[in-house]
Amino acid sequence: MTMTGRKLNRRAFIKASAAATAATAVPTGWAIAQAKPLKVGLMLPYSGTFAQLGENITFAVEMLLAEKGGKLAGREVQFVKLDDESKPELGPQNAERLVKRDGVDVIIGTVHSGVQMGIHKVVKESGTLTIMPNAGNVALTRELCAKNVFRTSFSNWQPAYAMGVALGKRGVKKASWITWDYAAGTESGEGFKQGLEANGGQFVSLLTLKFPETNFQPLLAQIPGLGVDAIGSFFAGGGAVQFVKDYAAAGIKVPLVGSGFLTEGTLAAQGAAADGIETALHYGDGIDNAKNKAFRAAFKAKANREADVYAVQGYDAAQLLAVGLEAAKGNIEDEKALYAAMEQAKIDSPRGSITMSPQHNVIQDIYLRKVTNGENKVVSTIVSQLADPGTGCKM
Ligand code: PHB
């Protein structure tokens, strides 16, 4: 690892504090570090098709901090917010800005898998602790895994795999997948294929358009000719709103299913077009536990809208950070204590209990949901405590 970013700052800092200690005996470098606020970079989309996703993650992170009395492990927290616009080409430079210019101690980010790739390049080198509160890019907890990178959301494979399992088990023979042509879309399509084929179904085709385009008509026109019993899909945010409306308006008879993002945080805008759509996700409406009830009430009070999976993932990113920091007694440089505690964390999430896989991806239940009366009603658990395969990870 090269001595850039945080490592370099840390070295200079230790040198300076050693000199200070020699002269005055107090305070030590660690004590100085403790007194400084913890700088948390929130690199998220605050504009574009995923803007509401970024906002909900932010609200929920702030909520957890408020619940902790405004401090984590005794340290004040200072947020540095950066709108990544869900633009992969800006990912590396934006992440560098946070690490080098702003000197953040932690990055919580981001939503878009392509942007996450840019963050990953930067933080793998700098060693900056990074918690992914959404982006599901599978490689980041498989062959590109890193000891300083954790994910509290999902891998793109997880919910889509479960959706394929659910269809296969009920005897669906043939299905295709429609999505944006980027990591989240194609990796979820691969998960869906694996789940379906492992349960007796056949994956027919992958239909794509460019992210974040919403001209769905040419793809919708192909569906009747595919000869499939179901269409699976990954879209999210503003794109999902449009897709579900266009699908209903086209009068297509083939049932539409998907990774749960298709109907997550979007139901008010989708209206009747979403009625009856089944999806698979690690969250849903009607999860009956005390944590979820308290979380939803607090989120509604803060954000003036209902909580969704993005809020849950942001909240749990902050919960995971708190667990690590508390074990390290506020000293983010104590990587041994920090990472060990995060790896072993058992988090009481609004979605149910979650843990971390050895590759630092979340292990969680995946639910089948059905849109009923404007809610993603949980119908059943498709797979309990599903872990991503995590293949090729060497920490
Ligand atoms: C992703 O790019 O990984 C992504 C974006 C939005 C979602 C889910 C995954 O809702």
Side-chain angles (χ1 to χ4, degrees):
M1 184 188 290
T2 51
M3 287 289 174
T4 53
R6 190 162 77 91
K7 294 291 171 206
L8 184 63
N9 292 341
R10 180 181 165 204
R11 225 187 189 188
F13 181 69
I14 290 168
K15 222 170 139 193
S17 59
T21 306
T24 63
V26 282
T28 64
W30 181 33
I32 297 167
Q34 294 279 81
K36 283 201 312 182
L38 184 81
K39 269 197 179 182
V40 179
L42 295 176
M43 181 160 159
L44 291 163
Y46 296 113
S47 61
T49 199
F50 292 157
Q52 186 173 308
L53 288 58
E55 284 167 16
N56 280 8
I57 290 166
T58 303
F59 282 141
V61 168
E62 290 171 349
M63 216 170 89
L64 186 277
L65 181 65
E67 283 172 17
K68 296 254 175 205
K71 288 186 178 179
L72 292 183
R75 290 182 68 176
E76 300 281 348
V77 173
Q78 183 188 340
F79 290 119
V80 183
K81 294 180 186 170
L82 189 155
D83 178 10
D84 69 32
E85 305 170 60
S86 292
K87 287 188 176 156
E89 65 277 17
L90 301 180
Q93 75 199 53
N94 279 333
E96 262 197 41
R97 223 178 87 186
L98 284 176
V99 169
K100 294 200 175 148
R101 192 193 71 181
D102 301 324
V104 299
D105 298 297
V106 188
I107 292 180
I108 295 181
T110 188
V111 166
H112 185 289
S113 275
V115 179
Q116 195 75 48
M117 211 51 157
I119 296 179
H120 201 69
K121 276 195 197 117
V122 173
V123 300
K124 252 197 127 165
E125 184 165 312
S126 69
T128 311
L129 173 62
T130 300
I131 307 178
M132 298 182 260
N134 185 72
N137 197 318
V138 296
L140 304 186
T141 53
R142 292 188 189 173
E143 63 272 18
L144 298 180
C145 69
K147 70 175 175 36
N148 54 313
V149 176
F150 293 78
R151 176 153 54 202
T152 55
S153 49
F154 57 91
S155 79
N156 289 322
W157 180 91
Q158 284 173 303
Y161 171 81
M163 192 66 240
V165 169
L167 289 192
K169 280 193 171 161
R170 75 167 68 141
V172 168
K173 288 288 165 243
K174 291 184 172 186
S176 290
W177 189 259
I178 297 192
T179 190
W180 281 311
D181 185 12
Y182 85 106
T186 52
E187 291 171 359
S188 54
E190 181 57 31
F192 178 73
K193 177 176 191 280
Q194 288 177 18
L196 181 68
E197 293 189 344
N199 289 277
Q202 186 195 335
F203 185 82
V204 173
S205 52
L206 177 70
L207 284 74
T208 63
L209 78 167
K210 266 180 73 175
F211 176 87
E213 285 177 9
T214 53
N215 177 20
F216 301 115
Q217 298 307 335
L219 297 180
L220 294 175
Q222 294 176 41
I223 293 174
L226 294 174
V228 295
D229 315 306
I231 289 291
S233 162
F234 167 85
F235 290 105
V241 171
Q242 193 60 40
F243 182 72
V244 166
K245 283 179 156 180
D246 287 1
Y247 198 96
I252 298 164
K253 295 284 172 276
V254 184
L256 174 64
V257 301
S259 288
F261 313 108
L262 190 63
T263 55
E264 191 67 15
T266 54
L267 289 176
Q270 287 163 335
D275 281 351
I277 294 180
E278 287 181 300
T279 60
L281 202 65
H282 42 285
Y283 191 60
D285 291 310
I287 294 176
D288 189 16
N289 66 52
K291 185 81 180 178
N292 191 40
K293 283 186 187 147
F295 171 78
R296 292 193 73 102
F299 188 87
K300 183 122 197 233
K302 179 168 175 74
N304 199 24
R305 59 185 178 229
E306 294 297 332
D308 59 12
V309 76
Y310 308 106
V312 171
Q313 295 166 174
Y315 186 77
D316 291 341
Q319 288 212 81
L320 185 65
L321 174 60
V323 166
L325 261 188
E326 280 158 17
K329 302 194 169 54
N331 179 11
I332 192 123
E333 304 296 347
D334 183 357
E335 292 180 351
K336 203 162 164 236
L338 184 73
Y339 297 155
M342 291 174 75
E343 283 170 354
Q344 286 147 31
K346 186 167 180 199
I347 288 182
D348 184 15
S349 167
R351 73 189 98 170
S353 181
I354 58 169
T355 54
M356 286 287 131
S357 72
Q359 302 82 20
H360 296 179
N361 185 58
V362 58
I363 298 175
Q364 57 193 343
D365 291 348
I366 309 288
Y367 306 109
L368 180 68
R369 308 114 46 90
K370 183 171 188 168
V371 178
T372 316
N373 299 325
E375 288 194 330
N376 286 296
K377 269 268 166 265
V378 171
V379 177
S380 62
T381 301
I382 306 172
V383 190
S384 294
Q385 298 299 295
L386 180 65
D388 183 87
T391 38
C393 169
K394 289 193 193 72
M395 287 276 176

